[in-house]
Amino acid sequence: MIIELSAVVFFALLSGYAFADPASPLRDYVGALTDAWPALTAWGSPVVRHPFTLGIARTVPPQQVWHHPRFRRVNVVITVVWAASFTVSAAAGAFLLRPARHGRAGRDQGPRVRRAGHVHDPLQRAEPGAGAAGRRRRDLTRPPSAARPG
């Protein structure tokens, strides 16, 4: 029940924050935050001596096993493994979701998608008549006359 209550608290806080500051830079990192919060919950649960996996683990064995030190120890280990995986996932998510630090420095980056070593920018479109190889890109954020190489 720990992870469920934690999720309710997280999404209530996130919803409140989203309505309070819709333009927050955190909106780009919601995916990473949804892994970071369970990581915090998982790391904190053994500290308070109640690993979050106990609720699930108690559904299978008989009740007399629940208070055995080995049962609790196994659940602490399982909880720590979950905590580590949530932490790695949150760190990877934050890394992958960070804004691109290259390209048009100082200009509005707009939505960009990173694929196989290059960046696809939906605000640019290939010039008509340019072949597939060596396409010239037209910047849709500027008027057509300013976007053409001269």
Side-chain angles (χ1 to χ4, degrees):
M1 200 62 174
I2 291 173
I3 204 80
E4 292 88 349
L5 290 174
S6 176
V8 168
V9 169
F10 171 72
F11 285 110
L13 291 172
L14 184 65
S15 297
Y17 189 74
F19 283 110
D21 188 8
S24 168
L26 285 180
R27 71 173 187 247
D28 296 331
Y29 294 94
V30 169
L33 290 173
T34 57
D35 285 328
W37 187 270
L40 292 173
T41 302
W43 285 116
S45 67
V47 171
V48 297
R49 297 188 174 270
H50 193 79
F52 82 89
T53 57
L54 279 178
I56 298 165
R58 287 181 176 166
T59 61
V60 177
Q63 192 170 2
Q64 60 266 27
V65 176
W66 294 359
H67 300 291
H68 193 278
R70 186 178 296 165
F71 182 77
R72 293 189 67 75
R73 178 68 185 145
V74 165
N75 276 279
V76 168
V77 169
I78 293 170
T79 297
V80 167
V81 169
W82 273 105
S85 69
F86 286 137
T87 302
V88 168
S89 182
F95 176 76
L96 293 173
L97 293 171
R98 77 192 192 295
R101 300 279 185 228
H102 61 284
R104 301 175 285 170
R107 292 181 47 200
D108 179 23
Q109 295 294 317
R112 297 178 129 198
V113 178
R114 195 172 229 165
R115 287 189 198 137
H118 72 281
V119 175
H120 168 71
D121 189 347
L123 295 178
Q124 290 186 346
R125 175 173 62 195
E127 286 285 335
R135 289 184 184 200
R136 292 178 298 157
R137 303 299 268 176
R138 183 164 60 104
D139 188 345
L140 297 178
T141 60
R142 294 189 285 171
S145 61
R148 291 194 179 124

